[in-house]
Amino acid sequence: NGLLSSIPDALLGRYYAQVLGLSQEPELLRQKAGGYPLLYTPLYGAGKAAVCAVLKQAGFHLELVAPQAGPDGNFETTPYPNPEIPAVYELAKKTAKPDQQLILATDPDGDRFGVMARKKDGEFALLSGNQQAVLICHYLLEHKKKAGDLKGYVYSSNVSSALLRRLAEGYGVCFEETLTGFKYIAERVEARQGNPEERLIFAMEESNGCMAGDFLRDKDGTIGCFLIAEAALYYWQSGISLWEALEKIYQRWGYHLAQTLAIAMPGPAGTQRQREMMERLRLNWPVLLGGLNVKEYRDYSLGLDGLPKTDLLKFILADGSWLALRPSGTEAKLKVYLEAVGAT
């Protein structure tokens, strides 16, 4: 009935050009990208067309994990098609060639991405959502500093790594936390649209989502894959891996080790148990966690920092470590977020 239409090639072309326009090292891409082969799996999903188009236009030699390249609603070779899970990369690791230093993945709807990078021993290891975002954010800020263009905002969700704030403040750019969900970040970006002093530099959430540029209002796996690939190429031609680059960031800004736990509490009884646990903590919040003083207690159900009210508690410890709890909005689980911070 004329209700279904394809995205015009001209619009796709404009989008690809804008993603490629985020490059900090266009000359490096022209000279070296062809010698840095990449392995990519779309996990049977929609990311394939855009990721392949952008990375190939950037000059990278890109190979696909063939069994996972076509659409398959059963996701045959994956336990669960989530780029946060190491098991989804097993087939990719088996097919990776010795000269491929990076395995990229996007989730089935293409808005989140994951990265496995080789370590010194030659084995692949999975970067967390926080780690891949820290690498991209640092890469962008360092290049903008060299260009004398450090203006704008870095955003993260309030259960993401505190290292994003450290980086933003260290480079002298504005930083803002939002609630979990890119709609909250997008609202802030939209509200500041048109002011070059407040433009978006980078935004992220710990569950493998990121956004850069001022031309879209959601997390985008294609942007994530492109920026992490360019950063990896940049460090590779300098003689170090992404893991070694991350180590250098930790040495300068402090080591940050984060983990997310999901405690299943099914059924009405589980929902009631979550409610009781959260209320008990509100009435009697701990003054010590892991032997460290709780420096700050934040109850986001009160509508802190001008944010919408939400059922989230956060405990910030004396050394900058923190713990947060919130009932999942989509599953019968209590989400627990932890980050330990240390000098080593």
Side-chain angles (χ1 to χ4, degrees):
N1 296 322
L3 298 176
L4 183 65
S5 61
S6 297
I7 298 172
D9 288 342
L11 181 58
L12 285 173
R14 282 173 56 203
Y15 164 69
Y16 298 153
Q18 286 177 304
V19 175
L20 290 163
L22 297 171
S23 172
Q24 305 298 303
E25 292 276 354
E27 190 59 34
L28 177 66
L29 287 178
R30 279 191 287 272
Q31 293 182 11
K32 301 287 187 179
Y36 192 73
L38 304 171
L39 184 60
Y40 165 60
T41 171
L43 297 178
Y44 304 102
K48 177 182 173 183
V51 171
C52 289
V54 166
L55 291 178
K56 287 179 179 178
Q57 286 181 36
F60 288 103
H61 176 66
L62 184 68
E63 292 189 16
L64 290 169
V65 181
Q68 298 175 341
D72 176 6
N74 294 316
F75 309 109
E76 291 289 347
T77 63
T78 62
Y80 187 77
N82 181 346
E84 297 176 78
I85 300 173
V88 306
Y89 297 86
E90 286 304 312
L91 186 58
K93 286 197 294 183
K94 289 175 184 175
T95 58
K97 296 175 180 176
D99 60 344
Q100 290 170 332
Q101 303 297 310
L102 224 58
I103 300 172
L104 302 172
T106 47
D107 67 346
D109 64 344
D111 64 350
R112 298 188 304 128
F113 74 108
V115 186
M116 269 203 165
R118 286 196 197 271
K119 304 192 94 166
K120 265 189 172 179
D121 61 6
E123 295 297 315
F124 282 104
L126 182 64
L127 290 160
S128 71
N130 281 313
Q131 289 171 328
Q132 64 190 31
V134 162
L135 281 162
I136 293 173
C137 186
H138 179 266
Y139 176 74
L140 292 174
L141 291 172
E142 186 65 21
H143 276 76
K144 290 183 181 299
K145 179 184 177 182
K146 289 177 184 176
D149 189 29
L150 278 173
K151 299 174 184 175
Y153 271 79
V154 171
Y155 299 86
S156 78
S157 68
N158 56 9
V159 292
S160 298
S161 175
L163 187 47
L164 270 293
R165 180 188 289 274
R166 292 284 303 276
L167 287 174
E169 292 176 348
Y171 280 91
V173 302
C174 299
F175 176 82
E176 187 171 336
E177 279 187 351
T178 72
L179 300 183
T180 299
F182 254 79
K183 64 180 181 180
Y184 296 109
I185 291 173
E187 284 174 354
R188 303 306 301 143
V189 174
E190 183 73 16
R192 295 185 168 113
Q193 186 181 18
N195 185 346
E197 301 288 322
E198 297 182 336
R199 70 182 186 271
L200 169 69
I201 297 173
F202 185 70
M204 61 78 67
E205 61 182 9
E206 49 77 36
S207 55
N208 289 51
C210 83
M211 182 167 75
D214 60 358
F215 54 90
L216 79 169
R217 296 289 180 267
D218 201 358
K219 56 185 178 283
D220 187 342
T222 303
I223 285 176
C225 285
F226 172 62
L227 288 177
I228 199 72
E230 182 177 281
L233 171 65
Y234 174 78
Y235 292 122
W236 174 74
Q237 62 90 36
S238 302
I240 63 173
S241 68
L242 282 179
W243 288 106
E244 290 167 306
L246 186 64
E247 176 70 17
K248 288 177 181 290
I249 295 169
Y250 285 153
Q251 287 174 359
R252 181 176 178 188
W253 305 99
Y255 286 80
H256 291 64
L257 182 63
Q259 188 173 3
T260 303
L261 310 173
I263 304 169
M265 297 186 183
T271 302
Q272 179 63 25
R273 185 179 168 211
Q274 290 183 56
R275 190 178 298 120
E276 290 172 355
M277 287 175 68
M278 296 294 283
E279 287 307 312
R280 190 160 64 246
L281 283 166
R282 284 189 172 94
L283 292 171
N284 186 26
W285 56 277
V287 294
L288 282 175
L289 282 172
L292 293 167
N293 290 323
V294 176
K295 182 179 72 174
E296 187 179 355
Y297 161 73
R298 299 177 67 80
D299 182 356
Y300 287 88
S301 71
L302 303 175
L304 302 182
D305 304 327
L307 298 172
K309 296 178 181 180
T310 190
D311 194 6
L312 171 70
L313 298 175
K314 190 170 185 178
F315 307 95
I316 301 170
L317 310 185
D319 67 347
S321 303
W322 57 271
L323 176 147
L325 304 96
R326 73 175 179 91
S328 170
T330 55
E331 300 173 282
K333 295 176 179 177
L334 182 71
K335 301 293 288 289
V336 182
Y337 305 86
L338 308 137
E339 183 168 63
V341 179
T344 68

